[in-house]
Amino acid sequence: LLTDADRKNLKASRPKRRVYDLLCKKASEGPRAGANDRQLELRFFTAPTAFVEEGERGAYGDGGLARVACEARGPGGESGEIDRVALALKSIGQHGLPVEGAPFDEAAGVIPNDGLGRVRGEAGLYVAGWLKRGASGIIGTNLVCAANTAACVQEDMASGLLQVK
């Protein structure tokens, strides 16, 4: 169920809305003919922590299906074990690393910036992507993020704040 805040967030973010729309479309289609009883389950805020293997061909001896131990990592997340898993994907959510010559916020894993891409206290230095906003978003988010940073560079060049050598 979507809250009013969720709806507002989706309305404000094209990439999030696209992912949401795609998931809703696939969920409403139901199973495909000939899908061999395969299922796709999305478990958000649930991180796989171990694959529990029993025997050469997985926990069930039927072509590699396994049991996966999981840990809740946020609201609605699940802890415990999930049975009969053929594939588990984990969104890593990397923590940014320092870049030589740039300030760095170790706790947040970002280069401190004005939110648009200008590095705080470093005229002529810009940042985009996860180092700008933290480990969040999808490819589309990074495209928008990079475009915003590029717009800052253009603005600073046009206003004379950034001198091209």
Side-chain angles (χ1 to χ4, degrees), residues 77-136:
E78 299 176 39
S79 291
E81 291 186 351
I82 302 169
D83 289 335
R84 303 186 60 79
V85 175
L87 175 66
L89 302 174
K90 182 176 178 180
S91 296
I92 297 171
Q94 295 289 341
H95 189 81
L97 299 173
V99 175
E100 189 176 332
F104 188 69
D105 179 338
E106 188 69 46
V110 299
I111 293 177
N113 64 88
D114 65 357
L116 298 173
R118 294 177 184 93
V119 174
R120 288 200 174 115
E122 300 287 335
L125 190 58
Y126 302 85
V127 65
W130 284 8
L131 274 177
K132 175 178 165 184
R133 64 179 195 282
S136 65

Side-chain angles (χ1 to χ4, degrees), residues 2-9:
L2 292 177
T3 66
D4 288 339
D6 292 333
R7 285 185 195 84
K8 184 177 180 181
N9 193 352

